[in-house]
Amino acid sequence: MAERNQQLQSPPGDCKVAEKIAEMSVVDKVPSEMANGGVEDSNDVVTPWNVESNNETGIDYDKLIQRFGCSKIDDELLNRFEKITGHKPHHFLRRGIFFSHRDMHTILNMYEQGKPFYLYTGRGPSSESMHLGHLIPFMFCKWLQDVFDVPLVIQLSDDEKAIWKNLKIEDAIKLSYENAKDIIACGFKVEKTFIFSNLEHIGNNAAYYQNMIRIQKCVTFNQVKGIFGFGDSDPIAKISFPPTQAAPALSSTFPFIFKNWKVPCLIPCAIDQDPYFRMTRDVAPRLNHPKPALIHSSFFPALQGSKTKMSASDTNTAIFLTDTAKQIKNKINKHAFSGGRATVEEHRQFGGNCGIDVSYQWLRFYLEDDERLEEIRKGYTSGEILTGELKKELIEILQKLVADHQERKNKITSEVIKQYMLPRDLGFVVKSK
Amino acid sequence: MAERNQQLQSPPGDCKVAEKIAEMSVVDKVPSEMANGGVEDSNDVVTPWNVESNNETGIDYDKLIQRFGCSKIDDELLNRFEKITGHKPHHFLRRGIFFSHRDMHTILNMYEQGKPFYLYTGRGPSSESMHLGHLIPFMFCKWLQDVFDVPLVIQLSDDEKAIWKNLKIEDAIKLSYENAKDIIACGFKVEKTFIFSNLEHIGNNAAYYQNMIRIQKCVTFNQVKGIFGFGDSDPIAKISFPPTQAAPALSSTFPFIFKNWKVPCLIPCAIDQDPYFRMTRDVAPRLNHPKPALIHSSFFPALQGSKTKMSASDTNTAIFLTDTAKQIKNKINKHAFSGGRATVEEHRQFGGNCGIDVSYQWLRFYLEDDERLEEIRKGYTSGEILTGELKKELIEILQKLVADHQERKNKITSEVIKQYMLPRDLGFVVKSK
């Protein structure tokens, strides 16, 4: 309720209506989405800057759904998805890798009614090469773009990385361009995709800065303190940043794409980014925009196990998209945490534990064939399949995936990058009925 | 010392060198400029958002100089100014209307050595029409530009007004354009002057946003709390703003004018803006820029007296640049606080008090002739000149001044405004010796 009250000491500006809504909410005892979440509980830490669990099986996602106040992706939603789109849900959906959502039914309703929406995702470019975990939201976005045939905006939050990772502005921009190559290599349609670096684009789009100010007017320091855990000794760069990540969820941020239409937005992202968008969902209606819908992924585990996610700064926790076939083989053989038994004999007798075996977990992300995955699960659990065999299958899949990615990436010239990163009309039109 | 300590819990970023400097400073017991000032003392309140005094003679400026840690403009500085520039100091300088400075000797040294610098001033456009008090920094800047023949950048902080005054973004931008007309009518050289609206220009100049981030990285919430008195329930728009006003004091914010040169900056402004630039002076060296120099004006008193400054929101406290001759006459006759006696007889016998008489105070700003001003002072003090006569002289001066201003303003087309507000090369060159 503290947060609720803070909202009532409301900031000035375009927010008068919002204050009314806020007051109504209090009367109705409907809590603000901003109030949900909190930073950590006893076991799991999930913030935009830190993800840690004490459990070998990783984060307790059901608890997280409760804590964040979002909704589990259930069979009903998946069935509706298939019925409405005519597409079998992606294996990330079928296997609960994308496991949670906010307002996905609204998005499906819109699609069903032929109404437009757009996709927004992003990345903070903290290293030259992306790793396998970073690919997940982009692979999924690419698939969603194919299914829905909608525009996609991709934010490279190099300003965020300059702030949090102590990077020089110039170096952060360079990383944006490096990462843009990896992102483009995922196969997005150039005619429907706009990729931008904050440090370059915000100074090239007056509507963006204006929306940042509008959002900043609606959020107090108390609120960002509650949502993100900022403190008094934090630089104001951190305190100022959340609206910069929020702005692209409002279609008016991109007038060259969406003109004057208020277009709903769907944001696929890892669950640790939810705090930004809880804030955005609280603010959007005050600025006369629809709340963005969300679809959340779980974390891609580090080679060392599910207690943490992969880290770009520790090269042995991750397979990078620049790794050679040999490096991939060595890293998995050497570092992938095994759910197998101490000896072959014991393994044959008691079987392995897929729940904690990183190679098996990775296969869930990267082996598309459901039947083969089920065979492996059964075989490993029963002891029929040994850790080495499991790893061999994973290595082959990843070697091919990374080699294919590198081949596509090598073809991406600076001219191609420019095409994606040029602010431009994407041919988006709202048809009036 | 609290502030000093906050600086040591220093933010990340381009500030590593700064942390070293900060540590050294502690050892050397040299306090940070950021630490000076504080928000108010027992009698006078001087912040960027509020100026009030309990004394009939207005703010105690000597105390303010001590509190803010700046330097009084003394005869030595004025003599040097005249010697080096060959110009008699402006009557604003001769009469102590611009009364305080930081590093003006450095600027004079540079001018003496033929080294370049630039001028930066600004205005928060809170109403369509500016009033006589708003003219002061611009009249002075115009004179400085003529004397030094240097580039001038003028910030219209419409974002600030959108935040503090609860204006819509669109309306704040409109006010910028209205105010730009009044500013241009002061007679700035178009070939050396760049005027910009924050809400339009920041989204049109990537270097600006990048410098905002650099500055935001160097300032903590504790620091802006100490300098500006922000609280936890303030919207983060307020907390984010000070770097937006600071950035134009770094020449790298305007690469289209200053290329890669690090050019020193002189900021003429009212003393209430000093907190922004104390912060800027603290940050600039960390970002490898010279500290901006400052020259401070006192406040133009309200018609009602020197306890407060004129307010755009109370039309009877000020003469607006849109007022008619009749309005000027009526407002001064009706509202100008008099230092005269209750009856003509008493006035003849005991004389008037120029120290509290608003008409006399205004003549100090707008009557250029030193001899005539002295005649008036003596005559009013001795009782020879009556309040009505004093007011008559002031009314004639202001009627002419405002009519001339209106005539110049009426000639300013939107084409002319565009010329001033276009980001462009001002022909600025640093000659290497």
Side-chain angles (χ1 to χ4, degrees):
Chain A
M1 281 308 284
E3 272 298 327
R4 182 74 270 169
N5 290 337
Q6 286 153 22
Q7 202 174 323
L8 287 174
Q9 306 161 6
S10 219
D14 300 346
C15 303
K16 282 280 157 204
V17 178
E19 281 175 35
K20 291 239 170 66
I21 295 172
E23 280 165 34
M24 281 165 51
S25 301
V26 166
V27 173
D28 299 339
K29 304 280 184 207
V30 177
S32 155
E33 279 188 38
M34 249 201 258
N36 295 332
V39 180
E40 44 193 281
D41 78 353
S42 51
N43 289 316
D44 299 340
V45 178
V46 177
T47 77
W49 305 282
N50 193 19
V51 176
E52 266 176 59
S53 171
N54 287 326
N55 301 318
E56 282 193 333
T57 49
I59 303 294
D60 184 332
Y61 289 108
D62 284 333
K63 259 198 198 162
L64 211 57
I65 284 175
Q66 272 202 320
R67 221 168 88 204
F68 282 7
C70 39
S71 306
K72 191 163 184 165
I73 295 179
D74 53 17
D75 288 343
E76 189 206 337
L77 180 64
L78 293 184
N79 291 337
R80 249 199 106 200
F81 185 98
E82 182 158 359
K83 197 180 142 201
I84 290 170
T85 66
H87 288 258
K88 183 178 168 186
H90 191 277
H91 70 273
F92 287 170
L93 285 169
R94 300 197 303 267
R95 296 175 192 166
I97 287 168
F98 275 79
F99 69 102
S100 151
H101 74 99
R102 296 180 186 272
D103 288 347
M104 260 314 283
H105 281 289
T106 310
I107 292 290
L108 290 178
N109 292 345
M110 299 200 67
Y111 185 75
E112 202 171 21
Q113 295 160 25
K115 288 183 186 161
F117 64 94
Y118 71 105
L119 296 166
Y120 161 39
T121 195
R123 155 153 183 75
S126 57
S127 66
E128 279 198 22
S129 174
M130 285 167 51
H131 61 50
L132 285 178
H134 296 143
L135 273 189
I136 306 301
F138 294 109
M139 290 170 69
F140 190 61
C141 269
K142 146 86 175 127
W143 180 80
L144 288 174
Q145 188 182 51
D146 289 344
V147 167
F148 291 116
D149 192 33
V150 289
L152 163 64
V153 296
I154 300 176
Q155 174 179 69
L156 298 167
S157 54
D158 40 16
D159 48 356
E160 180 204 0
K161 291 301 166 185
I163 297 162
W164 266 268
K165 296 273 175 183
N166 208 356
L167 299 179
K168 278 193 177 177
I169 298 289
E170 297 75 11
D171 296 340
I173 295 174
K174 270 184 209 153
L175 293 182
S176 278
Y177 276 80
E178 274 308 313
N179 284 196
K181 264 194 210 176
D182 275 324
I183 291 167
I184 292 167
C186 291
F188 296 105
K189 295 177 188 171
V190 66
E191 68 276 15
K192 295 235 176 212
T193 305
F194 173 53
I195 304 177
F196 61 96
S197 134
N198 283 350
L199 287 169
E200 285 199 340
H201 181 62
I202 293 171
N204 196 16
N205 177 356
Y208 200 125
Y209 179 65
Q210 291 166 18
N211 271 348
M212 280 165 56
I213 296 288
R214 286 189 180 96
I215 299 167
Q216 286 178 1
K217 281 173 74 177
C218 293
V219 183
T220 65
F221 179 64
N222 265 329
Q223 288 172 322
V224 292
K225 198 155 80 170
I227 301 169
F228 300 100
F230 296 148
D232 285 13
S233 57
D234 270 319
I236 56 175
K238 289 189 179 180
I239 297 163
S240 309
F241 178 72
T244 311
Q245 182 154 334
L250 311 184
S251 59
S252 58
T253 296
F254 306 104
F256 49 89
I257 301 175
F258 301 110
K259 322 302 190 286
N260 283 323
W261 294 302
K262 298 277 165 66
V263 186
C265 174
L266 169 61
I267 305 172
C269 63
I271 186 80
D272 60 341
Q273 299 300 302
D274 189 65
Y276 284 111
F277 301 118
R278 283 201 297 277
M279 184 195 86
T280 312
R281 284 169 58 86
D282 207 83
V283 169
R286 312 191 201 181
L287 301 179
N288 198 20
H289 278 74
K291 288 184 178 197
L294 285 152
I295 185 159
H296 300 118
S297 72
S298 56
F299 304 111
F300 190 76
L303 277 169
Q304 283 71 13
S306 298
K307 286 188 188 173
T308 179
K309 64 175 181 175
M310 301 208 298
S311 158
S313 40
D314 180 352
T315 53
N316 280 329
T317 61
I319 304 289
F320 289 87
L321 296 172
T322 45
D323 282 351
T324 62
K326 201 176 160 190
Q327 284 174 313
I328 293 171
K329 186 178 166 189
N330 286 344
K331 280 191 190 178
I332 290 172
N333 281 334
K334 203 167 162 188
H335 297 290
F337 185 79
S338 170
R341 300 287 171 167
T343 64
V344 173
E345 291 67 33
E346 279 182 47
H347 191 83
R348 294 286 187 215
Q349 191 178 349
F350 301 110
N353 181 352
C354 284
I356 58 167
D357 188 280
V358 168
S359 301
Y360 176 78
Q361 292 302 323
W362 283 26
L363 283 170
R364 287 181 67 242
F365 285 80
Y366 284 111
L367 171 59
E368 278 184 49
D369 182 335
D370 288 341
E371 281 178 33
R372 178 67 195 135
L373 186 70
E374 181 57 12
E375 271 174 35
I376 290 172
R377 194 191 62 75
K378 281 187 180 158
Y380 194 66
T381 309
S382 71
E384 199 183 316
I385 295 176
L386 298 176
T387 296
E389 292 163 331
L390 190 68
K391 286 191 171 185
K392 187 164 173 287
E393 185 135 0
L394 176 66
I395 288 165
E396 279 166 15
I397 289 171
L398 294 185
Q399 283 175 334
K400 180 170 177 350
L401 181 128
V402 170
D404 289 352
H405 182 90
Q406 289 171 357
E407 201 188 319
R408 287 194 304 274
K409 186 178 172 180
N410 286 338
K411 288 185 191 144
I412 295 164
T413 61
S414 57
E415 200 44 54
V416 171
I417 298 176
K418 260 190 213 163
Q419 282 173 27
Y420 280 90
M421 297 185 74
L422 183 75
R424 64 204 189 281
D425 191 332
L426 298 180
F428 179 86
V429 175
V430 174
K431 289 163 208 135
S432 54
K433 295 223 168 183
Chain B
M1 283 304 289
E3 272 297 326
R4 183 73 271 173
N5 290 338
Q6 286 153 20
Q7 203 175 321
L8 288 175
Q9 307 160 7
S10 217
D14 300 345
C15 305
K16 280 282 157 202
V17 178
E19 281 174 36
K20 289 234 171 70
I21 294 172
E23 281 166 34
M24 281 165 50
S25 302
V26 168
V27 173
D28 299 340
K29 304 278 183 207
V30 177
S32 154
E33 280 188 37
M34 248 200 258
N36 296 333
V39 179
E40 44 192 283
D41 79 354
S42 51
N43 290 316
D44 300 339
V45 178
V46 177
T47 76
W49 305 283
N50 194 18
V51 175
E52 267 177 56
S53 172
N54 287 325
N55 301 319
E56 281 194 335
T57 49
I59 303 294
D60 183 333
Y61 289 108
D62 284 332
K63 258 197 198 162
L64 212 57
I65 285 177
Q66 270 202 321
R67 220 168 91 204
F68 282 8
C70 38
S71 307
K72 190 163 183 164
I73 295 180
D74 52 18
D75 289 342
E76 189 206 337
L77 182 63
L78 293 185
N79 291 339
R80 249 198 106 201
F81 186 98
E82 183 158 359
K83 197 180 142 202
I84 290 171
T85 66
H87 284 78
K88 185 178 167 190
H90 192 278
H91 70 274
F92 288 171
L93 285 170
R94 298 196 305 267
R95 297 177 193 165
I97 286 169
F98 275 80
F99 68 102
S100 150
H101 74 100
R102 295 182 187 272
D103 288 347
M104 260 313 284
H105 281 289
T106 311
I107 292 291
L108 289 180
N109 292 345
M110 299 200 66
Y111 185 74
E112 201 170 22
Q113 295 160 25
K115 287 182 185 161
F117 65 94
Y118 71 105
L119 296 167
Y120 161 38
T121 195
R123 154 150 185 78
S126 57
S127 67
E128 279 198 22
S129 174
M130 286 167 49
H131 60 51
L132 285 179
H134 296 143
L135 273 191
I136 307 301
F138 293 110
M139 289 170 70
F140 191 60
C141 269
K142 146 86 174 125
W143 181 79
L144 287 174
Q145 189 183 50
D146 289 344
V147 167
F148 290 117
D149 192 33
V150 291
L152 162 66
V153 297
I154 300 175
Q155 175 180 67
L156 298 167
S157 54
D158 42 16
D159 48 355
E160 180 204 0
K161 291 302 167 184
I163 297 162
W164 266 267
K165 296 273 174 181
N166 209 356
L167 299 178
K168 277 195 179 177
I169 298 289
E170 298 75 10
D171 296 339
I173 295 174
K174 269 184 212 154
L175 293 183
S176 278
Y177 276 80
E178 274 308 313
N179 284 196
K181 263 195 212 174
D182 275 324
I183 292 168
I184 292 168
C186 292
F188 297 106
K189 297 178 186 171
V190 66
E191 67 275 15
K192 297 236 176 209
T193 306
F194 174 53
I195 303 176
F196 61 96
S197 133
N198 284 350
L199 287 168
E200 285 198 342
H201 181 62
I202 294 171
N204 196 17
N205 176 358
Y208 199 125
Y209 179 65
Q210 291 167 17
N211 271 350
M212 279 165 58
I213 296 287
R214 287 190 181 97
I215 299 166
Q216 286 178 1
K217 282 173 72 176
C218 293
V219 183
T220 66
F221 179 63
N222 265 329
Q223 288 173 324
V224 292
K225 199 156 78 171
I227 300 169
F228 300 99
F230 296 148
D232 285 13
S233 58
D234 270 319
I236 55 174
K238 289 189 179 181
I239 297 163
S240 309
F241 177 72
T244 310
Q245 181 155 334
L250 311 184
S251 58
S252 58
T253 295
F254 306 105
F256 48 88
I257 301 175
F258 301 111
K259 321 313 190 274
N260 283 322
W261 294 302
K262 299 277 165 65
V263 186
C265 174
L266 169 62
I267 306 172
C269 63
I271 187 81
D272 60 339
Q273 299 300 303
D274 189 67
Y276 285 111
F277 301 117
R278 284 203 295 276
M279 184 195 86
T280 312
R281 285 169 58 85
D282 208 81
V283 169
R286 312 190 202 181
L287 300 179
N288 199 19
H289 278 73
K291 289 184 176 194
L294 285 153
I295 184 157
H296 300 118
S297 73
S298 55
F299 303 112
F300 191 77
L303 277 169
Q304 284 69 15
S306 297
K307 286 188 187 173
T308 180
K309 62 175 182 174
M310 302 208 297
S311 157
S313 40
D314 180 353
T315 53
N316 280 329
T317 61
I319 304 290
F320 290 88
L321 297 173
T322 45
D323 281 351
T324 62
K326 200 175 161 192
Q327 283 174 314
I328 293 170
K329 188 179 165 189
N330 287 343
K331 279 191 191 178
I332 289 172
N333 281 333
K334 201 167 164 187
H335 297 291
F337 185 80
S338 170
R341 301 286 170 167
T343 65
V344 173
E345 291 68 33
E346 279 182 45
H347 190 83
R348 294 285 187 215
Q349 188 177 352
F350 302 110
N353 182 353
C354 284
I356 58 166
D357 188 279
V358 168
S359 301
Y360 176 78
Q361 292 302 319
W362 282 26
L363 283 171
R364 287 181 67 240
F365 285 80
Y366 284 111
L367 170 59
E368 277 184 49
D369 184 334
D370 288 340
E371 280 177 32
R372 177 67 193 136
L373 186 69
E374 182 57 12
E375 272 174 33
I376 291 173
R377 193 190 62 75
K378 281 186 181 160
Y380 195 66
T381 308
S382 69
E384 195 183 321
I385 297 176
L386 298 176
T387 297
E389 293 162 330
L390 190 67
K391 286 191 172 182
K392 188 165 173 287
E393 184 136 1
L394 176 66
I395 288 166
E396 279 166 16
I397 289 171
L398 293 186
Q399 283 176 333
K400 180 171 177 353
L401 182 127
V402 170
D404 289 351
H405 183 90
Q406 289 171 358
E407 201 189 320
R408 288 194 304 272
K409 188 177 171 182
N410 286 338
K411 287 184 191 144
I412 295 165
T413 60
S414 58
E415 199 46 54
V416 170
I417 299 177
K418 259 191 212 163
Q419 282 174 26
Y420 280 89
M421 296 185 74
L422 183 74
R424 64 203 189 281
D425 191 331
L426 297 181
F428 179 86
V429 174
V430 174
K431 289 163 207 134
S432 54
K433 295 222 169 183

